[in-house]
């Protein structure tokens, strides 16, 4: 028997990336601008994902996320290559340690599709050198010496673009450290390349429970039957699923879109976790939304959908000071110290508080 190339590998090899292929997805955009933006940050769009795009719609939200755009070439003083100062907080290459109890491992630079708003464009789409056995040994030594670390988050790039064998090696290495309680895998593959979620992969992940998978979907149209089936395979194996979305101008910055996204995720047994304010990264200025819009959108969601469908709006602070949650103003103490709560039906409800608060 010959070992055949897995289907997902063939889909990746066959992904759209040439300027003429990209232009066909966004014929209203100047060919020169598409080519220039793609030269700066390479494009890659698996064909089934590209099929979600309506080329006749100049405002197509899926195209906005993945087809290169001339506006990516606009520089601005507030934008930079590494807005969250991840390199500063990397004691080893590809290991970001900012919060005491959890460590981020950037295990690869590869992704199924290259999101035009990516905060890690500085590493994505480029081969991540030096992530072999020697690196893994250093990572294990680092973790072993830090008992405060309870969680390891595999990210990248997309950890699920590693082969099952390489992913297995990383997971076993991380799991060899006794105080690592949980593993998290941040991945866009189940959404952008659902064929990657094979039975073998699911088994490999399941073996390392408790392991959480955090997906990355930003628009309800991404939750296709194939994507939902990939989520089902993971959920049926008992793997808890969360989603992080990025708030993107022209993609999902309208109340109906976020509501539909949350409903589609919940139907697929995925809990919306974070809604990220778009980071101040080079090339993504045209995706930015005012902070107040995000707060308003989440407030609006609170009145429309169950609590488990409401993501937390977070801003990762420029300069690498960590994430800050922006909650819609929902309650406050008045001048006399008595609290009122802003209810979803618009009523301001006085709350009979109990003594002893600080
Ligand atoms: C976002 C992030 C995490 C994970 O944060 P959670 O709030 O636990 O999702 C961990 N490390 C770094 C460096 C991060 O940027
Ligand atoms: S999947 Fe994540 S890391 Fe990869 S290009 Fe998109 S945003 Fe960047």
């Amino acid at each position: 028997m010959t070992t055949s190339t897995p289907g997902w590998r063939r889909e990746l090899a066959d992904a759209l990336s040439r300027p003429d292929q990209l232009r066909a997805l966004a014929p209203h955009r100047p060919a020169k601008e598409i080519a220039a933006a793609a030269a700066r940050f390479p494009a890659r769009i698996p064909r089934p994902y590209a099929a979600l795009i309506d080329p006749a719609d100049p405002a197509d939200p899926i195209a906005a996320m993945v087809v290169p755009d001339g506006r990516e070439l606009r520089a601005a003083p507030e934008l930079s290559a590494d807005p969250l100062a991840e390199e500063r907080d990397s004691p080893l290459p590809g290991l970001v340690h900012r919060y005491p109890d959890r460590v981020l491992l950037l295990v690869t630079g590869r992704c199924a599709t290259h999101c035009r708003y990516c905060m890690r464009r500085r590493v994505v789409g480029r081969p991540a050198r030096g992530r072999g056995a020697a690196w893994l040994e250093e990572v294990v030594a680092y973790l072993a010496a830090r008992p405060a670390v309870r969680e390891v988050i595999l990210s990248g790039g997309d950890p699920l673009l590693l082969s099952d064998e390489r992913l297995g090696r990383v997971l076993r290495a991380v799991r060899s450290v006794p105080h690592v309680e949980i593993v998290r895998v941040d991945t866009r593959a189940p959404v952008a390349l659902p064929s990657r979620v094979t039975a073998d992969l699911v088994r490999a992940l399941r073996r390392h429970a408790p392991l959480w998978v955090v997906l990355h979907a930003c628009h309800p149209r991404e939750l296709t039957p194939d994507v939902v089936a990939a989520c089902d395979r993971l959920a049926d194996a008992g793997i808890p699923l969360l989603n992080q979305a990025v708030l993107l101008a022209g993609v999902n910055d309208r109340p109906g879109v976020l509501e539909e996204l949350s409903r589609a995720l919940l139907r697929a047994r995925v809990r919306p976790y974070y809604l990220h304010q778009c980071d101040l990264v080079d090339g993504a200025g045209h995706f930015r939304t005012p902070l107040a819009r995000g707060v308003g959108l989440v407030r609006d969601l609170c009145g429309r959908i169950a609590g488990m469908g409401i993501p937390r709006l977070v801003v990762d602070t420029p300069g690498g000071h960590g994430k800050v949650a922006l909650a819609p103003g929902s309650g406050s103490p008045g001048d006399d110290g008595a609290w009122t709560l802003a209810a979803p039906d618009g009523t301001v409800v006085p709350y009979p508080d109990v003594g002893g608060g600080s």
Side-chain angles (χ1 to χ4, degrees):
M1 231 181 80
T2 55
T3 46
S4 61
T5 313
W8 65 273
R9 288 240 185 250
R10 270 181 275 121
E11 259 179 45
L12 266 189
D14 194 33
L16 307 175
S17 61
R18 291 197 320 265
D20 60 305
Q21 295 174 322
L22 302 168
R23 179 84 198 295
L25 299 171
H28 44 278
R29 294 192 203 165
K32 251 204 222 143
E33 290 188 11
I34 291 182
R40 170 106 183 269
F41 179 54
R44 169 189 253 181
I45 314 175
R47 285 173 195 263
Y49 188 84
L52 300 177
I53 296 173
D54 172 9
D57 178 6
D60 186 90
I62 308 293
M65 286 191 276
V66 294
V67 179
D69 185 308
R71 290 175 293 178
E72 292 173 40
L73 302 167
R74 287 188 201 156
E78 65 276 14
L79 305 181
S80 64
D82 180 17
L84 309 182
E86 291 190 324
E87 301 294 338
R88 182 200 66 202
D89 284 345
S90 298
L92 297 176
L95 184 155
V96 187
H97 193 182
R98 175 162 300 153
Y99 305 105
D101 69 329
R102 49 214 196 273
V103 158
L104 203 62
L105 280 190
L106 311 183
V107 294
T108 174
R110 307 184 68 218
C111 283
T113 190
H114 295 160
C115 314
R116 309 317 294 179
Y117 50 83
C118 178
M119 173 270 278
R120 296 220 180 90
R121 311 179 126 191
R122 69 182 193 283
V123 293
V124 163
R126 292 159 182 80
R129 286 179 307 271
R131 297 283 194 278
W135 177 74
L136 262 186
E137 264 175 46
E138 278 187 82
V139 167
V140 168
Y142 183 91
L143 296 173
R146 285 162 184 82
V149 176
R150 310 288 194 98
E151 175 176 7
V152 172
I153 304 168
L154 305 188
S155 187
D158 194 323
L160 297 192
L161 282 223
L162 297 180
S163 66
D164 291 358
E165 293 70 31
R166 288 192 59 200
L167 183 64
R169 277 200 289 276
V170 172
L171 287 169
R172 280 193 300 278
V174 164
R175 275 290 179 219
S176 72
V177 182
H179 54 263
V180 171
E181 296 172 357
I182 60 173
V183 176
R184 188 187 326 182
V185 176
D186 281 357
T187 174
R188 189 149 163 73
V191 172
L193 189 73
S195 58
R196 175 62 186 103
V197 185
T198 60
D200 284 347
L201 176 74
V202 172
R203 267 194 298 277
L205 295 173
R206 180 67 185 84
R207 202 168 292 139
H208 296 282
L211 177 151
W212 294 62
V213 167
V214 182
L215 307 175
H216 173 183
C218 297
H219 193 278
R221 211 196 280 170
E222 295 183 303
L223 279 284
T224 63
D226 284 347
V227 171
V228 173
C231 294
D232 279 342
R233 292 194 285 280
L234 292 162
D236 286 349
I239 296 171
L241 301 174
L242 302 173
N243 183 66
Q244 44 189 348
V246 183
L247 183 57
L248 300 166
V251 174
N252 56 13
D253 61 338
R254 283 180 297 123
V257 179
L258 284 180
E259 180 183 340
E260 282 313 308
L261 175 62
S262 278
R263 291 194 189 283
L265 288 166
L266 291 177
R267 284 195 300 270
R269 289 182 278 173
V270 183
R271 162 84 161 93
Y273 176 43
Y274 278 155
L275 176 63
H276 291 271
Q277 174 77 5
C278 188
D279 291 313
L280 300 179
V281 66
D282 281 334
H286 58 292
F287 285 114
R288 298 186 60 204
T289 53
L291 287 174
R293 186 173 311 157
V295 172
L297 285 167
V298 174
R299 183 191 300 123
D300 179 81
L301 265 185
C302 290
R304 298 218 231 176
I305 192 166
M308 63 187 183
I310 298 170
R312 173 179 286 211
L313 176 66
V314 287
V315 188
D316 223 330
T317 47
H321 304 280
K323 293 181 182 69
V324 173
L326 283 187
S330 50
S332 55
D335 289 340
D336 56 358
W339 281 70
T340 53
L341 305 176
D345 67 358
T347 313
V348 176
V349 185
Y351 180 80
D353 207 4
V354 68
S358 51

